[in-house]
Amino acid sequence: GITLKNRWLVKRPIFLFFGEMENEFQKLLGLPSFLDTSYGRVFLFECQKGNHRAEIQKKLSDSAGFDVGAIIQNKETERPYFSKSPFNANWTHTKNLCILAYSESACVGIDAEFIRPKSLKIAERFFHSEEIKYLNELNQKNEYLVTTEFFKLWCRKEAYFKCVGGSFFGEILGKSFLSKEQAKVSFSEFTLDYNTHSIYVVLATSPKNHPLL
């Protein structure tokens, strides 16, 4: 099963859970059932990777009240979207867990990673110098915490990229994300316990009129 390890790290939830997992998450978050916001929703479901896009298409169609059409790949950004969907949608798939975020009023990007031992050589090769210094200093104090912080930074970079676009390797990977304060992009992040593993999840949201979009 899935449990929420800690509450949202923001003053108020931007996205809310719904669907089959709604009752469990509603209790964990202390939110009224079917509560909606002007931002959108996040939906979690278990699904084999090869089947997740059909399930996403179904979830978006159910929410929209009509068929959102076939999935299309944007040739410039390589970002997938549904041809008739009224939503800006993004999703991430890790193991057998898929997390879908969608909104009518904001652009969204979401990423999730299983927290697992990871060599800091990746950070030393690609991350910003301030991030490398932070992780190396942390590594001398707490091996588990440095692993969590590595995936927090990685997920922030991925979610930001999936939200606003640009060049991941050319612009975003080397940018510092030690601070959640990024121009016109808001982050919400939390940790999930899933089948004895911990997953770090970051959601990025931005107004649709963001100049980078």
Side-chain angles (χ1 to χ4, degrees):
I2 308 171
T3 58
L4 193 66
K5 196 169 186 178
N6 58 279
R7 294 181 65 84
W8 291 86
L9 304 181
V10 289
K11 293 182 180 178
R12 61 181 176 82
I14 295 178
F15 284 71
L16 306 174
F17 298 96
F18 76 109
E20 288 104 323
M21 304 301 298
E22 181 188 357
N23 291 334
E24 182 177 351
F25 280 98
Q26 176 246 321
K27 292 176 184 177
L28 289 165
L29 292 170
L31 299 170
S33 182
F34 294 105
L35 183 63
D36 204 355
T37 75
S38 60
Y39 294 95
R41 290 177 171 140
V42 168
F43 183 71
L44 294 90
F45 57 94
E46 294 179 303
C47 183
Q48 294 294 328
K49 190 168 185 178
N51 303 324
H52 69 289
R53 291 193 172 188
E55 187 68 19
I56 288 168
Q57 197 266 355
K58 181 179 183 302
K59 299 301 179 189
L60 292 177
S61 296
D62 289 346
S63 188
F66 55 84
D67 188 346
V68 296
I71 193 167
I72 299 174
Q73 199 88 6
N74 186 303
K75 293 181 180 180
E76 293 183 1
T77 64
E78 298 185 355
R79 197 175 194 266
Y81 66 97
F82 291 91
S83 58
K84 301 176 183 178
S85 175
F87 306 115
N88 184 280
N90 192 242
W91 55 87
T92 184
H93 196 283
T94 179
K95 302 291 184 182
N96 292 329
L97 181 67
C98 187
I99 309 177
L100 164 68
Y102 64 90
S103 174
E104 289 184 279
S105 61
C107 291
V108 298
I110 192 162
D111 191 54
E113 295 285 347
F114 275 82
I115 298 174
R116 59 196 185 278
K118 199 75 174 179
S119 172
L120 290 185
K121 289 182 180 179
I122 294 176
E124 291 171 352
R125 182 177 179 184
F126 296 110
F127 282 16
H128 189 279
S129 59
E130 292 179 357
E131 295 173 324
I132 297 170
K133 179 181 178 182
Y134 169 70
L135 291 174
N136 282 331
E137 290 177 352
L138 200 60
N139 194 36
Q140 299 174 10
K141 303 175 183 178
N142 189 316
E143 185 175 342
Y144 175 78
L145 184 56
V146 73
T147 302
T148 303
E149 290 298 297
F150 170 87
F151 283 109
K152 176 195 292 184
L153 293 171
W154 184 272
C155 287
R156 285 180 183 176
K157 294 171 189 283
E158 285 271 14
Y160 181 92
F161 167 66
K162 294 166 79 173
C163 179
V164 307
S167 171
F168 183 72
F169 288 98
E171 303 171 13
I172 296 171
L173 191 55
K175 176 183 173 69
S176 177
F177 282 84
L178 285 175
S179 171
K180 289 172 64 177
E181 300 297 324
Q182 303 291 333
K184 294 190 177 181
V185 176
S186 299
F187 290 107
S188 299
E189 47 197 55
F190 55 94
T191 308
L192 292 173
D193 279 338
Y194 176 67
N195 292 344
T196 73
H197 297 286
S198 292
I199 305 173
Y200 205 88
V201 184
V202 174
L203 172 70
T205 61
S206 176
K208 283 190 175 181
N209 61 354
H210 192 299
L212 290 177
L213 301 172

